[in-house]
Amino acid sequence: MDFDFSDDQEQLRDACAKWVEKGYSFERRRATVAAGGFDRKAYNEMAELGLTGLYVPEDLGGMGMGPVEGMVTLQELGRGIVIEPLTQALIAGAVLAGYAPDAVKADWCGKVASGEALVVLAHTERGLRYRTDSCKASATQNGESWALTGDKNVVPVGDQADAFLVPAMANGKMAMFLVERSAKGVSANGYGTQDGGRAAEVSLKDAPATLVTLDGQTALEHAIDIGIAATCAEAVGVMDQTLAITVDYMNTRKQFGVVISSFQALRHRVADMKMQLELARSMSYYASLKLNAPTNERRAAMARAKVQLGNSMRLVAKDAVQLHGGIGVTDEYIVSHYFKKLTQMEIAFGDTMHHLGEVSSRMQDTAGVFA
């Protein structure tokens, strides 16, 4: 098998890396966090690079690329701990292009690809944990129109987005709708998140909605799996940079007259971090390559990948802070921000324990352990 990246994929990686290096400095990120956790100008710059249209077909105004291109992009954004939610653009582009009626695709896919519209997935509700087969939000139909009522929490940049993809129960079955933030009956209460980003509590009261698909569970599971693959790729970039910062610090910091990287016990800790990073990288590749597989195969692969990434993120983040000592938890030093990013990503789209349960429930081969 050929695991080399194509020339186009390498060019995309280089373009993203250069933008992060030259256009998204740590100082710019700090200013964005201080201003509330979202910079529309930075999001538009990613759109100008074509990143928001990666999963939108070319005939709808996008780039028509696939999961591998999404993976290399998110890895580079992860190195710079970019907080603008490109993952949400990938989800919106894929869901609208794959499930929406032609008229809805024509109205929204081009806007998502160009960055004119920021559409985010609003699916989490209090008390439901990570369930995808049901929700409390409900939809009522009046002729050809729909209205939604319900509350969604921790919606990414919910008070800055232009529209939401909202799962809701319609006639006893989950459907997927698009709701504009400016619509009557929609309110969003925004707040900062642990990683410096932004989220909101979104409330819908008879809010007018556009039907995307009546098979909402299939669309939601696909959306979440795109989010998991993107999160895994982004986490690899975050861990890559976290390890690089830690090694650089150990080659600079002196104790007892020598750099601390000369201490064997600390070198073993770095070796453990590197091993976990490479395990995570392999499972991120696996997740991206399985993103277009049949549903059951895809869902199982995403759960396996998220378990490994969760374990890797926890160890790399913990050891990076411990190897830095006290400075590793100060807001002024960069590694503390990588730590916060990794701890938040560990619970995104289902935490490690949830996905461990998913892996267990989907096991079909006992490997001879049980009769």
Side-chain angles (χ1 to χ4, degrees):
M1 299 180 70
D2 182 7
F3 287 104
D4 291 335
F5 295 104
S6 68
D7 290 342
D8 287 345
Q9 290 162 352
E10 290 292 358
Q11 289 174 9
L12 178 62
R13 183 197 298 278
D14 289 344
C16 295
K18 287 177 181 174
W19 178 75
V20 170
E21 180 183 356
K22 298 179 179 178
Y24 203 85
S25 65
F26 183 55
E27 289 70 26
R28 182 179 186 181
R29 186 184 189 277
R30 285 180 67 94
T32 300
V33 173
F38 177 69
D39 181 359
R40 190 70 185 227
K41 184 179 178 182
Y43 185 79
N44 289 339
E45 289 172 6
M46 291 194 290
E48 289 172 5
L49 289 172
L51 306 184
T52 51
L54 284 180
Y55 287 177
V56 176
E58 292 180 87
D59 60 350
L60 293 173
M63 301 281 282
M65 293 185 171
V68 176
E69 286 79 7
M71 181 184 72
V72 299
T73 298
L74 267 301
Q75 281 183 358
E76 296 308 318
L77 299 187
R79 293 182 206 281
I81 44 177
V82 175
I83 51 179
E84 282 67 31
L86 183 69
T87 294
Q88 295 298 320
L90 300 186
I91 291 173
V95 169
L96 290 171
Y99 298 91
D102 289 343
V104 178
K105 291 180 187 177
D107 283 345
W108 286 93
C109 283
K111 294 179 184 176
V112 171
S114 67
E116 179 184 350
L118 171 55
V119 181
V120 301
L121 181 64
H123 70 292
T124 57
E125 296 183 6
R126 295 186 185 279
L128 290 181
R129 294 289 289 172
Y130 305 114
R131 287 183 61 181
T132 59
D133 61 341
S134 182
C135 63
K136 299 175 184 174
S138 61
T140 54
Q141 185 175 16
N142 184 9
E144 295 296 318
S145 61
W146 292 85
L148 263 59
T149 297
D151 297 305
K152 302 291 181 178
N153 69 330
V154 201
V155 179
V157 293
D159 61 342
Q160 303 291 320
D162 299 296
F164 310 106
L165 287 171
V166 184
M169 302 305 289
N171 301 320
K173 185 179 179 183
M174 184 183 291
M176 182 73 79
F177 298 88
L178 186 144
V179 179
E180 296 187 50
R181 182 169 64 86
S182 59
K184 183 180 179 182
V186 178
S187 63
N189 182 24
Y191 47 82
T193 55
Q194 174 181 282
D195 67 344
R198 191 163 186 82
E201 304 296 294
V202 175
S203 177
L204 309 171
K205 294 181 180 177
D206 289 324
T210 301
L211 178 66
V212 174
T213 175
L214 288 172
D215 190 3
Q217 184 174 349
T218 299
L220 177 60
E221 290 177 349
H222 192 193
I224 289 173
D225 286 350
I226 293 169
I228 291 173
T231 300
C232 290
E234 188 177 5
V236 169
V238 177
M239 286 188 285
D240 250 336
Q241 194 63 17
T242 304
L243 179 59
I245 293 169
T246 304
V247 170
D248 184 60
Y249 176 80
M250 292 178 66
N251 284 326
T252 305
R253 177 79 164 89
K254 288 186 176 181
Q255 190 65 270
F256 307 117
V258 296
V259 293
I260 62 175
S261 62
S262 62
F263 300 150
Q264 188 178 38
L266 300 188
R267 295 168 72 94
H268 287 170
R269 297 281 293 272
V270 173
D272 289 341
M273 293 173 66
K274 178 65 173 174
M275 288 172 57
Q276 286 297 322
L277 169 59
E278 295 308 321
L279 286 170
R281 194 189 311 277
S282 298
M283 292 305 285
S284 172
Y285 286 11
Y286 173 67
S288 295
L289 293 173
K290 289 291 186 182
L291 201 49
N292 289 330
T295 301
N296 288 339
E297 183 179 348
R298 185 193 75 220
R299 299 242 75 201
M302 297 305 141
R304 294 169 188 149
K306 196 62 168 47
V307 169
Q308 179 58 58
L309 266 292
N311 290 333
S312 294
M313 285 189 278
R314 186 177 294 271
L315 185 136
V316 170
K318 171 179 68 68
D319 279 11
V321 166
Q322 291 182 357
L323 288 169
H324 274 84
I327 194 175
V329 293
T330 60
D331 189 62
E332 291 76 13
Y333 190 63
I334 193 169
V335 83
S336 67
H337 298 270
Y338 282 82
F339 174 86
K340 288 189 283 189
K341 183 70 174 177
L342 288 170
T343 53
Q344 181 159 317
M345 294 175 81
E346 195 270 331
I347 60 173
F349 300 104
D351 61 17
T352 304
M353 290 303 295
H354 166 75
H355 284 291
L356 189 60
E358 287 289 308
V359 171
S360 176
S361 66
R362 294 174 186 277
M363 287 181 68
Q364 297 178 348
D365 186 355
T366 65
V369 176
F370 306 109

